[in-house]
Amino acid sequence: MDGGSPMQISTPNEDPVPRVLQDAIGVNLAVDVDGAPEHLQQGLQQIIGSHNVAYFAQTSSAQAEHLWSVQFEHTGDVASGTFDVRSVTGQVPQITVRYNRTIDAFRALGQVLTAARAAEVAALTNPSALQTPDFTISESAQFETLALMIDCSRNGVLNVNSVRAMLRNMALMGYTMLQLYTEDTYKVEGEPFFGYLRGGYTHDELRAIDDYAFAMGIEVVACIQTLGHLGQMLQWPRYAGLRDTNEVILSRAPETYAFLEKLIKAASAPLRSKRIHIGMDEAYGVGEGRFRGLYGQVEGTAIFVEHLGRVHAICAQLGLRAMIWSDMLFCLAAKNNALYAYYDQSNNPAEALSRVEGIPQDIDLVFWDYYHTQPEIYARKIQQHKDLGCNSPWMAGGAWTWSRLWCHVPFSFESNRASLIAAKSQPGRVASFMLTIWGDEGNECDFFSALPVMLYVANHAHTDKSEIDAVFMENAFAAVCGGSLGDWMAASGVDELPQPNEARAQMPSNMSKWLLWEDPMLSFMSPQYAGLALDEHYAGTASRLLDCALAPNTRYPLNRLLRMPGLLARVLSLKCNLRDRLARPYKAGDRTALLQVAETRLRPLIEAQRELWLYHRARWMRIYKPFGWETLELRYGGLAARLHTMYDRIVAYALCLPCSALRKSRAVGVAAGVSRHPALLPGRSRLPSLTVPFDSAGDVSGPSVSADAGSGLSMGEVPAWLPSITSADSSDDPAAMSMGLGWPVTACTSSLPACTIPACGPLQSHADTSAPAPLPVLTALPATSDTDNVTTINALGVRELGGEGDFWLQPAPLLPPELDPQDSFPRDIGCLGEEDMGTVIDSIPELEEDLLCIYENSYTSLLLDYGRVTAPSRLG
């Protein structure tokens, strides 16, 4: 066995593929769908119609400069699990795929895509690489079954469209099986409390998923629980009689097995497969609850094996072959529920099992280990499974998506490399390998962040070598998934300490989760990262990821998903060390410095946290069913409330104001675009007014403020570091606009374009009701790409935002008819209502999530500068 280092991917500062490749696709593949074998046609249509990267062309209308024709030949001359691809040069190069299994044809198509990508890279120095492709591809699958298991039980239930997207990627990678892990998230007739309010799959949904997968040669297998992990169901009084403990169902009781038979039938009936995963992992406390009171003290292994035999008999009666997770056999034998007992090399349960009847011979044991990085550890434990009489156990690795907000790709590569080497090599060789994607602790992670790991495992599973070439992985990820692997590897930086030489533990860090949710005032984690430049680390990570996510390119469309870790990194760059930054001026009694930190760190943090929440919500609603989001939204809501309380108390202390004054007026509060809609501001006529006069040259003459009674602004001493604030009367300048404090105004400090548009601000009350009310806020979009002079004017004066195009995509509140600005919009600027959103999204699909996120959460229409639509706002 080769114990060498895992593949090395480019560092965050490297850019291995020239950016010229982002601008256009150099190769088009003309796939002869009608001429393909009939069993491939539907699957080919599914992939060609929805592929991330625009490589595919219609045969009849393809006019690409470099066109490759792809044909498929089904033949028995090729062994099951193998395929070969050959290219023949000509006026239109011909690519022929010879295969046996359906899934092998789709894996081969994925390799053709990878070859096209490699040819484009090579063409930068050798143009003939596109015109006369000359390659031969031959692969053999190392496993009879290559499975992917996706957790659909920890809040997040992938909707059907998301499952289909996963299946398309799986097909191009060569996975033969999909298991959707459903503890109680599938419907059971006559059991309304089973999966109550959990978004479970219906019979029709599972049937549709199975049909879609079958067209691409993928088997869908039910993956349920029949012993432990049933706490969501057992919490209901309806199932009190079936409860052993809070998580474990009652063994030995006849009504238990009648109920389990209903579950097994419901889960397996919509699917073609005659295999089923019945779980039984982590059933801690089995026999220690109501079981002991009913049946007395019984040794745990005996209870487990007896229960397994009863459930196995149900499966056999239904014609199903069952598999289980193997951990309880080891933990019960060691009388230790910790993972240590499962992975202890000296713990072999063969002796404990010899004292009971034994496990059924046709039960498949699934050995799961996501933690170790040495192949020898996996090999020894595989042999222990064989000692139990299971001649060909399954090996299961993990993509590290659980207990975090983004997949930890580097450690996933390391741990799966070790398990795959062991599983492919003698004497530990096995026939089946499974990659698992778990969502423990609320499913905060976007499961599509595991795509690089899925591809890595699939490539390893189709070669007898112990290493995967990094350049090959780069090309494959770009062609098959549509992302830049180097950028996706960099996204794991949200959980990496800036100490590259530190030895990696057996569990990768998930510090971004702890830093995000920890209380900002208490900040109990701050001593653990004292001395580390985390704010700089996260700021650099955020800058890179947001640049990748928001940059317009057709080469890496999947990079748009990097907005999630980018927004997370931006939040953490502001939140880490925040308590220390506030504690120092507080202890020194420097109220001016304290207020400055609140304005320059804490308030931007509140705005950044809001954008992260809105984007995460939009992404969740796109890929999961809505059920379960309430758990995460409560976390976001708690964090937002604590940040607001922190801000209010600090500002009140710094300005010598009571918090009640701030609560009444929000005069010195969060000024984040869509966060304060006029309808949500009671008594807004009492808000102080900010006057922004413009002279004839278009320059901003300077902000001024007047305080209504009770606003609290007249109390206390204005900090010396703030811009000068003096009183002014808007009647002095007929062009003046007034607004409620707490709302941003965007303007050019040097010049304004010819036309301006009203946006973002509460309407003011006026004594003279006969006079037309002024427009509430003046928003000026710069006429050039130079945005260095864009500023926000708020209750505390003027602050620069910088030249990042922050306000190009600007939410705007709906105005009453007499103030509706639609007829006076400048050229190229439009007001989008709900009926227009579909049209806009269809024309710019790369902005779908951005537009929906802003539209759904702004209580408003959108003002959109079509000239800059490919540079959406980072402020959301």
Side-chain angles (χ1 to χ4, degrees):
M1 257 178 260
D2 187 343
S5 300
M7 61 172 287
Q8 298 296 316
I9 302 297
S10 60
T11 64
N13 293 324
E14 294 178 11
D15 188 11
V17 178
R19 291 297 181 186
V20 68
L21 288 179
Q22 295 184 10
D23 300 332
I25 302 297
V27 174
N28 269 223
L29 303 182
V31 179
D32 185 9
V33 176
D34 294 337
E38 185 175 356
H39 61 269
L40 290 186
Q41 292 180 9
Q42 182 180 342
L44 288 172
Q45 290 171 351
Q46 291 172 179
I47 288 178
I48 293 172
S50 304
H51 190 246
N52 281 331
V53 188
Y55 275 104
F56 294 105
Q58 297 298 323
T59 306
S60 59
S61 60
Q63 300 294 328
E65 181 180 357
H66 302 293
L67 187 69
W68 296 0
S69 176
V70 182
Q71 298 177 332
F72 293 88
E73 179 185 338
H74 184 221
T75 175
D77 295 338
V78 177
S80 178
T82 66
F83 65 84
D84 61 64
V85 178
R86 288 181 171 80
S87 64
V88 178
T89 60
Q91 184 176 2
V92 176
Q94 300 291 320
I95 312 297
T96 301
V97 176
R98 300 174 69 249
Y99 69 97
N100 189 311
R101 299 185 305 177
T102 299
I103 189 59
D104 296 327
F106 289 100
R107 165 75 186 181
L109 181 58
Q111 296 300 79
V112 173
L113 288 170
T114 303
R117 165 69 178 190
E120 291 170 352
V121 176
L124 294 175
T125 57
N126 177 22
S128 65
L130 293 176
Q131 300 165 357
T132 57
D134 183 14
F135 59 85
T136 299
I137 306 172
S138 181
E139 284 188 342
S140 296
Q142 301 298 299
F143 304 104
E144 294 177 9
T145 301
L146 179 62
L148 178 71
M149 189 229 74
I150 303 176
D151 187 350
C152 295
S153 296
R154 271 39 178 261
N155 285 344
V157 179
L158 285 176
N159 60 39
V160 174
N161 284 336
S162 295
V163 176
R164 287 172 173 168
M166 279 289 189
L167 285 166
R168 291 192 298 271
N169 281 285
M170 290 172 62
L172 292 173
M173 295 176 189
Y175 283 86
T176 63
M177 179 184 291
L178 172 66
Q179 297 187 13
L180 298 175
Y181 174 73
T182 50
E183 293 172 356
D184 66 328
T185 47
Y186 57 99
K187 300 298 184 182
V188 180
E189 187 176 357
E191 300 292 341
F193 281 97
F194 184 81
Y196 181 58
L197 297 179
R198 294 263 287 153
Y201 292 112
T202 66
H203 181 283
D204 291 342
E205 286 175 328
L206 290 174
R207 171 63 72 182
I209 290 171
D210 189 60
D211 289 343
Y212 199 86
F214 180 77
M216 296 180 290
I218 299 175
E219 178 185 9
V220 181
V221 173
C223 184
I224 64 174
Q225 285 290 357
T226 57
L227 184 57
H229 283 298
L230 290 173
Q232 287 286 347
M233 177 198 79
L234 294 174
Q235 67 178 312
W236 301 111
R238 164 73 174 82
Y239 302 111
L242 300 179
R243 187 184 303 149
D244 181 2
T245 69
N246 288 339
E247 288 287 331
V248 180
I249 202 166
L250 181 64
S251 301
R252 196 172 287 184
E255 57 270 24
T256 292
Y257 300 101
F259 179 74
L260 291 179
E261 183 173 355
K262 290 181 66 175
L263 300 189
I264 294 170
K265 286 181 177 179
S268 62
L271 310 176
R272 294 173 172 84
S273 177
K274 291 302 179 182
R275 293 195 274 190
I276 187 171
H277 198 315
I278 56 176
M280 297 196 182
D281 61 309
E282 298 178 336
Y284 304 138
V286 60
E288 301 295 326
R290 292 182 61 244
F291 182 97
R292 180 179 293 182
L294 292 171
Y295 304 109
Q297 178 73 36
V298 181
E299 199 272 328
T301 300
I303 298 174
F304 183 89
V305 172
E306 176 188 338
H307 181 75
L308 174 59
R310 298 280 295 270
V311 178
H312 169 263
I314 295 172
C315 294
Q317 182 181 353
L318 297 174
L320 301 171
R321 182 183 178 95
M323 65 184 77
I324 64 168
W325 308 108
S326 66
D327 56 297
M328 288 306 296
L329 294 172
F330 290 80
C331 293
L332 289 171
K335 296 180 171 56
N336 186 342
N337 287 336
L339 279 178
Y340 172 79
Y342 189 25
Y343 302 128
D344 182 2
Q345 297 291 299
S346 64
N347 177 24
N348 193 329
E351 181 180 350
L353 287 174
S354 67
R355 298 192 295 268
V356 297
E357 186 175 342
I359 60 177
Q361 290 299 308
D362 58 347
I363 287 282
D364 292 326
L365 301 181
V366 182
F367 164 47
W368 55 275
D369 185 345
Y370 321 134
Y371 307 94
H372 296 96
T373 56
Q374 298 81 35
E376 295 77 12
I377 294 177
Y378 293 93
R380 285 194 291 269
K381 189 58 67 171
I382 289 173
Q383 185 56 49
Q384 289 182 355
H385 282 72
K386 293 183 177 181
D387 293 342
L388 297 179
C390 182
N391 294 327
S392 185
W394 287 50
M395 179 72 240
W400 276 81
T401 51
W402 59 95
S403 304
R404 63 191 65 245
L405 283 87
W406 195 257
C407 180
H408 198 293
V409 175
F411 188 82
S412 300
F413 283 176
E414 291 183 37
S415 59
N416 281 290
R417 171 188 175 274
S419 61
L420 282 158
I421 290 174
K424 293 191 297 184
S425 307
Q426 298 296 346
R429 188 176 184 87
V430 300
S432 301
F433 188 93
M434 178 190 297
L435 177 66
T436 60
I437 299 177
W438 295 103
D440 301 43
E441 300 181 14
N443 208 110
E444 296 158 325
C445 188
D446 184 337
F447 280 168
F448 285 88
S449 67
L451 283 172
V453 186
M454 291 169 54
L455 182 62
Y456 178 82
V457 168
N459 287 340
H460 232 300
H462 285 84
T463 179
D464 58 0
K465 300 183 183 302
S466 59
E467 305 296 344
I468 304 299
D469 180 70
V471 175
F472 169 63
M473 272 290 296
E474 294 254 7
N475 289 329
F477 189 65
V480 172
C481 301
S484 166
L485 185 58
D487 294 334
W488 279 63
M489 294 284 287
S492 297
V494 297
D495 283 323
E496 289 286 346
L497 286 169
Q499 292 180 331
N501 295 325
E502 182 181 356
R504 192 187 300 279
Q506 289 187 349
M507 290 190 184
S509 165
N510 63 343
M511 67 178 183
S512 64
K513 175 188 176 78
W514 290 94
L515 289 174
L516 177 64
W517 301 130
E518 74 166 345
D519 186 90
M521 189 76 85
L522 304 179
S523 191
F524 68 92
M525 280 197 62
S526 56
Q528 300 185 46
Y529 57 81
L532 297 177
L534 278 189
D535 46 359
E536 297 177 8
H537 166 70
Y538 280 121
T541 301
S543 178
R544 172 175 181 171
L545 297 180
L546 290 175
D547 283 345
C548 295
L550 302 178
N553 71 77
T554 57
R555 176 59 54 181
Y556 298 126
L558 197 71
N559 272 15
R560 70 185 187 277
L561 300 188
L562 296 178
R563 187 171 182 182
M564 176 70 187
L567 294 175
L568 173 62
R570 189 174 69 182
V571 168
L572 300 184
S573 71
L574 296 166
K575 192 180 182 196
C576 64
N577 297 313
L578 177 62
R579 184 184 185 278
D580 292 339
R581 290 175 182 269
L582 291 166
R584 286 194 295 269
Y586 173 76
K587 292 177 180 179
D590 189 344
R591 297 182 185 235
T592 298
L594 189 65
L595 185 56
Q596 186 172 16
V597 175
E599 271 300 296
T600 59
R601 302 282 298 189
L602 183 50
R603 189 170 67 172
L605 171 59
I606 293 173
E607 297 172 358
Q609 183 269 344
R610 176 181 173 81
E611 186 183 2
L612 174 63
W613 159 58
L614 293 178
Y615 181 80
H616 196 173
R617 182 173 71 180
R619 182 67 184 155
W620 179 286
M621 297 305 171
R622 178 175 174 83
I623 64 176
Y624 300 111
K625 296 188 177 186
F627 298 93
W629 173 248
E630 69 280 355
T631 299
L632 301 191
E633 194 145 61
L634 286 170
R635 296 175 190 176
Y636 278 113
L639 176 59
R642 288 295 290 157
L643 290 173
H644 279 279
T645 296
M646 188 179 190
Y647 183 89
D648 286 351
R649 289 181 62 84
I650 289 172
V651 170
Y653 173 81
L655 296 178
C656 301
L657 295 174
C659 283
S660 59
L662 298 179
R663 285 196 300 272
K664 286 179 181 178
S665 68
R666 301 301 303 171
V668 185
V670 181
V674 300
S675 65
R676 294 287 182 270
H677 189 268
L680 303 181
L681 287 174
R684 60 181 179 269
S685 62
R686 297 183 60 197
L687 289 176
S689 297
L690 179 65
T691 302
V692 186
F694 294 87
D695 60 25
S696 59
D699 292 339
V700 178
S701 300
S704 58
V705 65
S706 61
D708 293 338
S711 69
L713 280 188
S714 60
M715 303 178 182
E717 182 179 355
V718 177
W721 64 271
L722 290 177
S724 174
I725 299 179
T726 59
S727 62
D729 189 346
S730 61
S731 62
D732 294 340
D733 189 339
M737 298 293 179
S738 64
M739 62 169 288
L741 286 174
W743 288 80
V745 180
T746 312
C748 287
T749 56
S750 60
S751 62
L752 296 175
C755 296
T756 57
I757 56 175
C760 283
L763 302 178
Q764 302 296 305
S765 61
H766 298 269
D768 183 6
T769 57
S770 62
L775 297 181
V777 175
L778 188 67
T779 297
L781 298 181
T784 69
S785 61
D786 180 10
T787 58
D788 290 336
N789 56 359
V790 175
T791 65
T792 288
I793 303 173
N794 52 46
L796 296 178
V798 179
R799 64 185 178 94
E800 292 290 334
L801 290 181
E804 295 292 342
D806 285 318
F807 285 85
W808 284 115
L809 199 55
Q810 174 106 350
L814 295 172
L815 300 176
E818 63 272 15
L819 297 178
D820 193 340
Q822 293 191 56
D823 294 335
S824 59
F825 277 173
R827 183 174 56 84
D828 293 334
I829 291 182
C831 184
L832 306 180
E834 183 174 2
E835 67 277 3
D836 304 313
M837 289 301 296
T839 303
V840 175
I841 288 172
D842 289 341
S843 64
I844 43 173
E846 71 274 13
L847 291 186
E848 176 176 0
E849 289 163 9
D850 298 308
L851 291 173
L852 288 178
C853 174
I854 297 170
Y855 183 79
E856 292 174 358
N857 299 294
S858 63
Y859 324 100
T860 171
S861 62
L862 291 176
L863 297 180
L864 188 62
D865 178 357
Y866 294 103
R868 290 291 294 251
V869 74
T870 56
S873 164
R874 289 188 180 181
L875 296 181

